[in-house]
Amino acid sequence: MFRLDNISKQNGHQLLFIDASMGVQKGEKVGLVGPNGAGKTTLFRMITGQEPPDDGIVVIEPGRTIGYFSQDVGEMSGQSAVSAVMDGVGPVSALMAEMAALEAAMVDPDQADDMDALITRYGEAQERFEELDGYALEARAREVLAGLSFSQERMDGDVGLLSGGWKMRVALARILLMRPDAMLLDEPSNHLDLESLIWLEAFLKAYDGALLMTSHDRAFMNRIIGKVVEIDGGTLTTYSGDLDFYEQQRALGEKQRQAQFERQQAMLAKEIKFIERFKARASHAAQVQSRVKKLDKIERIEPPRQRQTVQFEFRSPPRSGDDVLTLKGVHKGYGAQPIYADLDFLVRRKERWCVLGANGAGKSTLLKLVAGAVEPDEGTVTIGASVKMGYFAQHSMDLLEGDETIFETLMNAFPQAGQGALRTLAGCFGFSGDDVEKPCRVLSGGEKARLVMAIMLFDPPNLLVLDEPTNHLDMATKEMLVAALADFEGTMLFVSHDRHFLGALSNRVLELTPEGIHKYDGGYSEYVASTGQEAPGLHPGG
């Protein structure tokens, strides 16, 4: 379908690719992996022709269409979400907008004199709309948007009024509706809730074109891809199998390279020792010369690059009382929309509750009630004795001071802590060396999330309330966080769409459904096993 042959590419002083090659065939579903800044987005831009390689060629099969979803969704406003999605498929959306304008004109008394012309043009536009199968396309657009958790009201509302996360979904829906021959998806799982994620997974599994995608969501990737392309040190290496298989093969390859490196180092040391010992002796001159020449010709094996992963270790939080959190007779609604009616909920020490529910079921509202960010309309929310709460919400990242550097932010949060301790903390959350001098305003979403998390966890609370904590985190940071939270001695209440995170950390499930609220002993994995579904109202995704 497409391939890159001997690509080289430099960005400023950074060499991204050196004689790198890869290819994707029709029907192949490929995961693209590599550390942050390795060049994943640049690779996508080269395939779509937005950036040329410095050297080498990009080959696309003639007549093939490529759809590219990136995190940069551009401006969208002045049209409905449905129209914006249909825009990706050509003139159908323009005809739909024209028909709507003509319908309005035909009932406008001021335009009565033009009625014949309006009716004629409406007939022409409608005929062309039907030829292009416009009515079926609109139904398909609505189906895709519904799969991504849009309500009918949101589909028909002005797309310009949507938040960034919902605009991302519109841009993604546009590519999915287009059904191109090949799809390039850069982090399609960001900003999706669990239900949308499972729907997208099923959609991509059934898609019969070529797929190349990145994602920080391990379970999502593993269920879709059958091949991995890794960017590392300017090269592209292809592995058959899913992420788990790739990691086993990579670890095995690194072990073998390390063994080869060590054998060569031992051999070189032996030869150099011989040369040093006998170089002054005329009787050994020929042997010494022969060995020097041999050493010059040997191609040196590079040691495998060690991927730096720093583990974060919790200091033990102070012990709380046994009843950490009590909600009694809680009512909460927005306008005429009730969210909770007479909710009773008790959280005890060391319980780790994950909250599941469809979009709009009230997951974030529950966390806000607990954190005191919103008040109940009726009833009480009581925090137990000796409870110290840490609350991570999406808006936490907006509270960072833009002109402060990462290090200044940490210093201001913990003026008593030593510089060494704060540098270690920064390193655990992926900020090493000069990174700590970056001002907060230039940080990406993922970097901001890591910084907020570092501040929250350094002086550990004994109750963690987390609303989608992994939304912007890369796979390595996510693994570090899961490992750290697995050892956390306190209590947790959290919402997440990441199934690895849910399965690894929960020991209780609170399920919010239109029929009522259900509580399950046992974590997310037990919930899936007992209900046969991965999220409320959904059947297993396979």
Side-chain angles (χ1 to χ4, degrees):
M1 190 73 79
F2 60 84
R3 68 175 198 274
L4 289 80
D5 288 341
N6 302 317
I7 293 293
S8 292
K9 181 74 178 173
Q10 188 166 347
N11 263 1
H13 295 299
Q14 190 186 8
L15 272 172
L16 289 176
F17 298 101
I18 308 154
D19 284 337
S21 300
M22 64 159 284
V24 180
Q25 305 299 321
K26 180 176 166 58
E28 282 189 328
K29 295 184 170 73
V30 183
L32 183 63
V33 301
N36 278 355
K40 297 188 285 288
T41 300
T42 303
L43 184 82
F44 283 144
R45 290 174 64 81
M46 288 194 292
I47 295 167
T48 55
Q50 290 168 274
E51 277 189 47
D54 298 337
D55 209 354
I57 55 168
V58 178
V59 182
I60 315 282
E61 278 183 23
R64 296 296 189 182
T65 53
I66 291 183
Y68 173 38
F69 168 76
S70 76
Q71 295 295 300
D72 183 14
V73 296
E75 185 46 46
M76 294 183 189
S77 61
Q79 58 182 339
S80 68
V82 172
S83 299
V85 170
M86 289 167 68
D87 261 358
V89 191
V92 172
S93 174
L95 283 166
M96 193 166 114
E98 187 186 358
M99 283 160 59
L102 288 165
E103 284 164 12
M106 287 191 286
V107 295
D108 181 355
D110 294 342
Q111 300 196 46
D113 294 347
D114 302 326
M115 190 57 72
D116 289 347
L118 290 171
I119 290 170
T120 303
R121 178 59 201 140
Y122 187 80
E124 290 166 359
Q126 192 174 35
E127 190 180 335
R128 181 75 184 121
F129 189 72
E130 284 173 357
E131 274 174 24
L132 293 170
D133 211 10
Y135 291 109
L137 189 68
E138 185 184 349
R140 272 178 45 221
R142 287 181 183 278
E143 193 183 316
V144 170
L145 284 169
L148 295 174
S149 298
F150 276 74
S151 62
Q152 291 299 325
E153 190 184 352
R154 199 171 250 151
M155 289 180 203
D156 293 316
D158 183 348
V159 76
L161 301 176
L162 297 176
S163 68
W166 285 100
K167 282 179 182 166
M168 289 269 187
R169 297 186 195 210
V170 170
L172 177 59
R174 188 182 277 178
I175 303 296
L176 301 181
L177 181 68
M178 190 176 141
R179 287 197 91 100
D181 297 311
M183 278 199 261
L184 310 178
L185 304 181
D186 194 0
E187 295 295 345
S189 52
N190 273 9
H191 301 286
L192 295 186
D193 52 44
L194 187 55
E195 296 73 35
S196 305
L197 202 58
I198 292 165
W199 177 87
L200 179 60
E201 190 180 281
F203 185 99
L204 294 177
K205 277 174 157 172
Y207 168 65
D208 58 3
L211 174 66
L212 180 66
M213 65 184 269
T214 64
S215 174
H216 294 327
D217 190 314
R218 184 182 198 88
F220 177 71
M221 277 269 257
N222 261 345
R223 292 170 181 224
I224 294 167
I225 61 169
K227 194 168 161 180
V228 172
V229 170
E230 178 194 53
I231 306 178
D232 190 23
T235 62
L236 290 167
T237 311
T238 302
Y239 297 80
S240 292
D242 64 10
L243 272 181
D244 292 342
F245 183 73
Y246 145 74
E247 283 176 354
Q248 288 165 8
Q249 292 301 303
R250 190 181 198 285
L252 191 63
E254 280 191 352
K255 202 171 168 186
Q256 288 169 345
R257 268 201 307 283
Q258 183 67 32
Q260 288 170 342
F261 171 73
E262 286 169 6
R263 278 199 301 273
Q264 189 181 65
Q265 289 299 303
M267 181 273 289
L268 292 174
K270 196 172 160 190
E271 294 294 317
I272 289 164
K273 193 174 174 187
F274 179 90
I275 291 164
E276 288 299 317
R277 189 173 169 196
F278 293 111
K279 66 183 175 186
R281 296 193 192 177
S283 58
H284 286 75
Q287 281 174 288
V288 167
Q289 278 307 309
S290 151
R291 292 196 181 198
V292 167
K293 282 179 186 168
K294 178 181 159 188
L295 281 188
D296 286 344
K297 285 179 186 168
I298 286 174
E299 194 173 323
R300 304 295 162 106
I301 295 169
E302 292 288 320
R305 266 192 307 282
Q306 295 303 312
R307 295 227 169 157
Q308 202 181 4
T309 52
V310 188
Q311 290 308 314
F312 177 73
E313 287 182 15
F314 271 100
R315 293 187 296 184
S316 289
R319 187 190 158 117
S320 70
D322 286 340
D323 288 357
V324 173
L325 175 66
T326 312
L327 278 74
K328 205 137 195 68
V330 166
H331 290 252
K332 182 67 188 171
Y334 292 105
Q337 177 75 38
I339 306 280
Y340 293 110
D342 208 23
L343 169 65
D344 291 336
F345 180 42
L346 171 67
V347 176
R348 292 181 62 78
R349 194 171 76 85
K350 289 204 168 185
E351 289 182 342
R352 296 156 170 248
W353 287 88
C354 71
V355 186
L356 300 180
N359 237 31
K363 300 188 293 290
S364 292
T365 302
L366 177 66
L367 270 50
K368 285 176 184 168
L369 284 164
V370 168
V374 300
E375 294 292 324
D377 300 334
E378 279 180 53
T380 57
V381 178
T382 310
I383 304 298
S386 308
V387 170
K388 180 186 173 196
M389 188 191 308
Y391 175 44
F392 178 89
Q394 294 308 304
H395 69 77
S396 315
M397 303 189 298
D398 303 331
L399 304 178
L400 293 169
E401 206 46 68
D403 290 332
E404 283 183 3
T405 66
I406 290 171
F407 196 67
E408 285 167 348
T409 304
L410 294 174
M411 289 281 286
N412 290 339
F414 308 108
Q416 305 303 314
Q419 288 210 6
L422 293 183
R423 284 192 182 275
T424 303
L425 173 68
C428 287
F429 283 85
F431 302 114
S432 54
D434 294 341
D435 283 349
V436 295
E437 299 308 326
K438 281 185 185 174
C440 290
R441 66 169 178 277
V442 305
L443 301 181
S444 68
E447 288 171 321
K448 284 180 181 172
R450 296 205 306 265
L451 179 55
V452 170
M453 205 83 68
I455 293 167
M456 187 174 70
L457 300 180
F458 181 63
D459 183 15
N462 49 29
L463 169 62
L464 285 176
V465 179
L466 309 175
D467 194 356
E468 294 288 5
T470 63
N471 244 5
H472 299 274
L473 301 184
D474 61 29
M475 239 179 249
T477 310
K478 213 182 277 188
E479 292 292 344
M480 181 277 286
L481 189 62
V482 167
L485 291 176
D487 294 333
F488 173 60
E489 292 169 16
T491 307
M492 285 172 68
L493 177 69
F494 64 96
V495 172
S496 175
H497 66 248
D498 187 291
R499 283 163 286 179
H500 176 51
F501 193 86
L502 288 168
L505 297 175
S506 59
N507 60 22
R508 299 280 188 286
V509 174
L510 185 73
E511 180 189 45
L512 312 178
T513 74
E515 293 75 46
I517 290 170
H518 309 290
K519 297 166 189 168
Y520 295 86
D521 284 343
Y524 176 73
S525 305
E526 288 86 350
Y527 164 84
V528 173
S530 67
T531 63
Q533 61 189 25
E534 295 187 275
L538 282 178
H539 296 296

